Amino acid sequence: MRKLIYLMNTSLDGYVEDANGSLDWSNVDEEIHQFFNDQERELEVSLYGRRLYETMQPFWSTVDQNSDLPAVVKEYARIWNAIPRIVFSRTLDHVEGNATLMRDGLTEQTTKLKSLPGRWMNVGGPTLAASLIEAGMVDEFRLVIHPVILGGGKSYFPDLKAPTNLMLLETRHFSSGAMYLRFERAGSV
């Protein structure tokens, strides 16, 4: 049975975007980029919402053809393009690349995908992840916490009606000062 992970960069105060919707505050140097490459390489399927898909698809679908970019960036593009994505959207007409469009059935489709043989799948983006966190479907939370306080923006975690207990599985310190924390939902198998 596959586990569903949720991995994103976050500020020390828990935001994945600043108040203007920007991601420019994070310092994704070569070491952190390689870490994300290694994490992404383990995935068998990714769940995306419309907004994340529209952000990622235009850039990552062709960036590996740009000879001016570092090898680690081109490597991520090759990994990203190989992973099947399921895009949940009621407003998109179509998706491109290695993606399938789903209009409804987030929890049903996620339950089905989790029940298949395999190891890892992920949910990308805080809005889509919020629904799956609230439904108790996210098995692991993986945060790369950057040493910056944004003071507002889009939160990594949704407002929950009840606490979710977690167990720390792994930590890692990056030379940039960022810290990786990997948690498992308590009682998750």
Side-chain angles (χ1 to χ4, degrees):
M1 185 166 141
R2 290 181 177 148
K3 285 190 175 183
L4 179 62
I5 64 169
Y6 174 38
L7 166 67
M8 290 196 77
N9 287 307
T10 179
S11 63
L12 183 61
D13 53 345
Y15 296 103
V16 299
E17 295 177 356
D18 69 16
N20 298 317
S22 174
L23 306 172
D24 293 340
W25 54 267
S26 63
N27 177 19
V28 180
D29 60 10
E30 186 171 332
E31 180 187 22
I32 292 175
H33 214 304
Q34 186 61 57
F35 170 80
F36 275 98
N37 290 5
D38 296 341
Q39 294 286 308
E40 198 86 3
R41 192 177 284 109
E42 299 293 321
L43 299 176
E44 297 162 327
V45 65
S46 292
L47 308 179
Y48 276 49
R50 177 199 53 82
R51 187 165 173 236
L52 183 62
Y53 170 78
E54 289 180 330
T55 300
M56 300 284 282
Q57 176 66 26
F59 182 77
W60 291 109
S61 63
T62 60
V63 74
D64 62 328
Q65 300 164 19
N66 184 338
S67 61
D68 296 335
L69 293 173
V72 70
V73 173
K74 292 188 278 189
E75 176 189 17
Y76 181 87
R78 286 188 293 275
I79 296 165
W80 186 85
N81 279 297
I83 300 167
R85 284 172 298 289
I86 299 176
V87 180
F88 289 90
S89 172
R90 292 187 181 113
T91 58
L92 287 175
D93 293 327
H94 71 282
V95 292
E96 298 175 4
N98 197 5
T100 302
L101 180 62
M102 299 292 290
R103 300 252 178 242
D104 295 300
L106 175 63
T107 56
E108 295 83 1
Q109 286 298 321
T110 303
T111 299
K112 180 179 172 183
L113 288 167
K114 284 181 72 168
S115 72
L116 297 173
R119 187 168 157 90
W120 300 111
M121 55 188 276
N122 81 320
V123 56
T127 303
L128 191 64
S131 297
L132 295 171
I133 292 168
E134 290 165 351
M137 298 185 81
V138 175
D139 300 296
E140 287 193 13
F141 299 88
R142 300 179 182 186
L143 300 86
V144 176
I145 303 171
H146 293 261
V148 61
I149 297 171
L150 296 178
K154 185 165 287 220
S155 180
Y156 177 93
F157 291 106
D159 292 333
L160 296 173
K161 295 178 178 115
T164 300
N165 294 316
L166 304 174
M167 180 173 58
L168 182 64
L169 299 176
E170 182 182 358
T171 64
R172 177 176 172 179
H173 184 262
F174 295 100
S175 59
S176 66
M179 176 68 87
Y180 169 64
L181 298 175
R182 176 180 166 215
F183 293 95
E184 181 178 67
R185 204 167 28 91
S188 182
V189 176

